[in-house]
Amino acid sequence: MKLLISSFWLSALWLLTPASIFNRDSCQQTAIPVIAGYEKTLRFNVYTFKVSATDSGATRDVSVKAYRGAALLTNFRMHIDGAVVGAEVADLDKNRFPELYVYSTSDGSGSFGRVYGWQFLPERKADIQPENWFKKLDGYMGHDSLWTERDVLCRKFPVYNAGDVNAKPTGGARMLRYRLRPAGQSFVLVADSTTQQSVER
């Protein structure tokens, strides 16, 4: 008798489980784990930006929605390498129009940083490309930190000496500062050679 009752309740639970998972009107919570992605809302004066990204696969899908007040200016998607680790709005060129910067880091032990950017002008969205971002830098093996500060985009990374292992750089750290410059219909981030410096970690 106990075995029959147990079998009955197990069968009933199996029958009820799909409904509790898939019927969102009847169940507020779900037992299925959800892989969290990146989501952030940013504001600049009357502008609002919503950035979201998936969190699986070698390439991620990034979605950007830009609003001016309640009006949707643009809604676009793109593929990026690695995972989104941050997003910021800024006005590096001081023209009073916002720029959106999305930061990603590659998978694996190197964690190579990359920046994607756009400036939102009254009549269009202009792409922002970092200039010579992937050129060889002495002692560079990834692990970038990226952020904006006043009128520059900052890039900081540890410096590796010969023989250093990935987890133990011994050369301190280096800071690069990039300034925004017009380039035809788009913009470029140009490393300011006068502000490149070695810094303490």
mmCIF file of all heavy atoms in Angstrom, residues 56-76:
data_model
loop_
_atom_site.group_PDB
_atom_site.id
_atom_site.type_symbol
_atom_site.label_atom_id
_atom_site.label_comp_id
_atom_site.label_asym_id
_atom_site.label_seq_id
_atom_site.Cartn_x
_atom_site.Cartn_y
_atom_site.Cartn_z
ATOM 1 N N SER A 56 26.402 33.523 -22.788
ATOM 2 C CA SER A 56 26.855 32.185 -23.135
ATOM 3 C C SER A 56 27.341 32.174 -24.572
ATOM 4 O O SER A 56 26.911 32.979 -25.392
ATOM 5 C CB SER A 56 25.718 31.158 -22.964
ATOM 6 O OG SER A 56 24.639 31.472 -23.828
ATOM 7 N N GLY A 57 28.262 31.285 -24.849
ATOM 8 C CA GLY A 57 28.813 31.164 -26.186
ATOM 9 C C GLY A 57 30.068 32.000 -26.359
ATOM 10 O O GLY A 57 30.340 32.933 -25.596
ATOM 11 N N ALA A 58 30.857 31.645 -27.390
ATOM 12 C CA ALA A 58 32.091 32.395 -27.657
ATOM 13 C C ALA A 58 31.790 33.813 -28.103
ATOM 14 O O ALA A 58 32.541 34.744 -27.817
ATOM 15 C CB ALA A 58 32.904 31.669 -28.722
ATOM 16 N N THR A 59 30.685 34.004 -28.831
ATOM 17 C CA THR A 59 30.230 35.347 -29.199
ATOM 18 C C THR A 59 28.891 35.612 -28.528
ATOM 19 O O THR A 59 28.064 34.710 -28.424
ATOM 20 C CB THR A 59 30.086 35.498 -30.723
ATOM 21 O OG1 THR A 59 29.130 34.537 -31.207
ATOM 22 C CG2 THR A 59 31.420 35.291 -31.419
ATOM 23 N N ARG A 60 28.708 36.843 -28.073
ATOM 24 C CA ARG A 60 27.462 37.210 -27.398
ATOM 25 C C ARG A 60 26.672 38.181 -28.259
ATOM 26 O O ARG A 60 27.241 38.947 -29.037
ATOM 27 C CB ARG A 60 27.761 37.877 -26.057
ATOM 28 C CG ARG A 60 27.892 36.917 -24.878
ATOM 29 C CD ARG A 60 29.182 36.160 -24.873
ATOM 30 N NE ARG A 60 29.453 35.567 -23.561
ATOM 31 C CZ ARG A 60 30.561 34.922 -23.265
ATOM 32 N NH1 ARG A 60 31.519 34.775 -24.148
ATOM 33 N NH2 ARG A 60 30.731 34.412 -22.057
ATOM 34 N N ASP A 61 25.360 38.141 -28.094
ATOM 35 C CA ASP A 61 24.480 39.108 -28.739
ATOM 36 C C ASP A 61 24.264 40.269 -27.789
ATOM 37 O O ASP A 61 23.859 40.074 -26.644
ATOM 38 C CB ASP A 61 23.128 38.483 -29.092
ATOM 39 C CG ASP A 61 23.247 37.443 -30.191
ATOM 40 O OD1 ASP A 61 24.031 37.682 -31.124
ATOM 41 O OD2 ASP A 61 22.570 36.409 -30.112
ATOM 42 N N VAL A 62 24.529 41.475 -28.261
ATOM 43 C CA VAL A 62 24.325 42.689 -27.476
ATOM 44 C C VAL A 62 23.195 43.490 -28.087
ATOM 45 O O VAL A 62 23.154 43.694 -29.310
ATOM 46 C CB VAL A 62 25.604 43.544 -27.425
ATOM 47 C CG1 VAL A 62 25.358 44.828 -26.641
ATOM 48 C CG2 VAL A 62 26.737 42.761 -26.785
ATOM 49 N N SER A 63 22.280 43.939 -27.253
ATOM 50 C CA SER A 63 21.159 44.765 -27.686
ATOM 51 C C SER A 63 21.266 46.138 -27.039
ATOM 52 O O SER A 63 21.526 46.242 -25.836
ATOM 53 C CB SER A 63 19.829 44.113 -27.299
ATOM 54 O OG SER A 63 18.744 44.985 -27.552
ATOM 55 N N VAL A 64 21.080 47.196 -27.842
ATOM 56 C CA VAL A 64 21.141 48.566 -27.346
ATOM 57 C C VAL A 64 19.871 49.301 -27.761
ATOM 58 O O VAL A 64 19.507 49.292 -28.939
ATOM 59 C CB VAL A 64 22.372 49.321 -27.884
ATOM 60 C CG1 VAL A 64 22.352 50.777 -27.434
ATOM 61 C CG2 VAL A 64 23.661 48.639 -27.436
ATOM 62 N N LYS A 65 19.219 49.907 -26.792
ATOM 63 C CA LYS A 65 18.074 50.780 -27.055
ATOM 64 C C LYS A 65 18.422 52.177 -26.553
ATOM 65 O O LYS A 65 18.845 52.328 -25.400
ATOM 66 C CB LYS A 65 16.810 50.266 -26.367
ATOM 67 C CG LYS A 65 16.303 48.946 -26.909
ATOM 68 C CD LYS A 65 15.019 48.521 -26.210
ATOM 69 C CE LYS A 65 14.506 47.204 -26.769
ATOM 70 N NZ LYS A 65 13.249 46.774 -26.093
ATOM 71 N N ALA A 66 18.240 53.181 -27.414
ATOM 72 C CA ALA A 66 18.548 54.565 -27.051
ATOM 73 C C ALA A 66 17.272 55.395 -27.135
ATOM 74 O O ALA A 66 16.555 55.354 -28.144
ATOM 75 C CB ALA A 66 19.613 55.135 -27.981
ATOM 76 N N TYR A 67 17.008 56.161 -26.077
ATOM 77 C CA TYR A 67 15.813 57.003 -26.011
ATOM 78 C C TYR A 67 16.225 58.455 -25.789
ATOM 79 O O TYR A 67 17.212 58.731 -25.103
ATOM 80 C CB TYR A 67 14.910 56.586 -24.840
ATOM 81 C CG TYR A 67 14.377 55.175 -24.908
ATOM 82 C CD1 TYR A 67 15.140 54.098 -24.445
ATOM 83 C CD2 TYR A 67 13.101 54.921 -25.403
ATOM 84 C CE1 TYR A 67 14.651 52.805 -24.494
ATOM 85 C CE2 TYR A 67 12.601 53.622 -25.438
ATOM 86 C CZ TYR A 67 13.373 52.576 -24.988
ATOM 87 O OH TYR A 67 12.892 51.294 -25.025
ATOM 88 N N ARG A 68 15.453 59.338 -26.362
ATOM 89 C CA ARG A 68 15.536 60.765 -26.015
ATOM 90 C C ARG A 68 14.200 61.144 -25.416
ATOM 91 O O ARG A 68 13.204 61.251 -26.115
ATOM 92 C CB ARG A 68 15.844 61.637 -27.228
ATOM 93 C CG ARG A 68 16.177 63.082 -26.858
ATOM 94 C CD ARG A 68 16.501 63.927 -28.064
ATOM 95 N NE ARG A 68 17.019 65.233 -27.703
ATOM 96 C CZ ARG A 68 16.255 66.281 -27.359
ATOM 97 N NH1 ARG A 68 14.934 66.155 -27.323
ATOM 98 N NH2 ARG A 68 16.822 67.434 -27.026
ATOM 99 N N GLY A 69 14.189 61.293 -24.113
ATOM 100 C CA GLY A 69 12.917 61.406 -23.430
ATOM 101 C C GLY A 69 12.182 60.074 -23.540
ATOM 102 O O GLY A 69 12.734 59.021 -23.245
ATOM 103 N N ALA A 70 10.939 60.110 -24.023
ATOM 104 C CA ALA A 70 10.166 58.882 -24.216
ATOM 105 C C ALA A 70 10.291 58.336 -25.633
ATOM 106 O O ALA A 70 9.783 57.250 -25.921
ATOM 107 C CB ALA A 70 8.694 59.149 -23.898
ATOM 108 N N ALA A 71 10.951 59.070 -26.511
ATOM 109 C CA ALA A 71 11.048 58.669 -27.920
ATOM 110 C C ALA A 71 12.216 57.709 -28.124
ATOM 111 O O ALA A 71 13.348 57.991 -27.708
ATOM 112 C CB ALA A 71 11.223 59.888 -28.803
ATOM 113 N N LEU A 72 11.937 56.589 -28.779
ATOM 114 C CA LEU A 72 12.979 55.628 -29.105
ATOM 115 C C LEU A 72 13.764 56.133 -30.311
ATOM 116 O O LEU A 72 13.225 56.289 -31.399
ATOM 117 C CB LEU A 72 12.363 54.262 -29.412
ATOM 118 C CG LEU A 72 13.334 53.151 -29.821
ATOM 119 C CD1 LEU A 72 14.278 52.814 -28.679
ATOM 120 C CD2 LEU A 72 12.558 51.908 -30.265
ATOM 121 N N LEU A 73 15.064 56.395 -30.105
ATOM 122 C CA LEU A 73 15.909 56.873 -31.195
ATOM 123 C C LEU A 73 16.391 55.734 -32.078
ATOM 124 O O LEU A 73 16.379 55.830 -33.304
ATOM 125 C CB LEU A 73 17.119 57.622 -30.628
ATOM 126 C CG LEU A 73 16.847 58.906 -29.853
ATOM 127 C CD1 LEU A 73 18.161 59.477 -29.330
ATOM 128 C CD2 LEU A 73 16.134 59.920 -30.745
ATOM 129 N N THR A 74 16.848 54.659 -31.457
ATOM 130 C CA THR A 74 17.361 53.524 -32.218
ATOM 131 C C THR A 74 17.342 52.285 -31.349
ATOM 132 O O THR A 74 17.393 52.360 -30.120
ATOM 133 C CB THR A 74 18.788 53.792 -32.727
ATOM 134 O OG1 THR A 74 19.228 52.694 -33.535
ATOM 135 C CG2 THR A 74 19.766 53.972 -31.581
ATOM 136 N N ASN A 75 17.268 51.154 -32.003
ATOM 137 C CA ASN A 75 17.276 49.859 -31.347
ATOM 138 C C ASN A 75 18.074 48.926 -32.241
ATOM 139 O O ASN A 75 17.649 48.614 -33.351
ATOM 140 C CB ASN A 75 15.841 49.363 -31.147
ATOM 141 C CG ASN A 75 15.791 47.990 -30.506
ATOM 142 O OD1 ASN A 75 16.795 47.480 -30.020
ATOM 143 N ND2 ASN A 75 14.616 47.383 -30.522
ATOM 144 N N PHE A 76 19.256 48.506 -31.805
ATOM 145 C CA PHE A 76 20.085 47.691 -32.671
ATOM 146 C C PHE A 76 20.755 46.571 -31.889
ATOM 147 O O PHE A 76 20.872 46.625 -30.667
ATOM 148 C CB PHE A 76 21.147 48.537 -33.383
ATOM 149 C CG PHE A 76 22.133 49.221 -32.485
ATOM 150 C CD1 PHE A 76 23.362 48.642 -32.195
ATOM 151 C CD2 PHE A 76 21.852 50.462 -31.931
ATOM 152 C CE1 PHE A 76 24.281 49.269 -31.367
ATOM 153 C CE2 PHE A 76 22.770 51.102 -31.102
ATOM 154 C CZ PHE A 76 23.982 50.503 -30.823
#
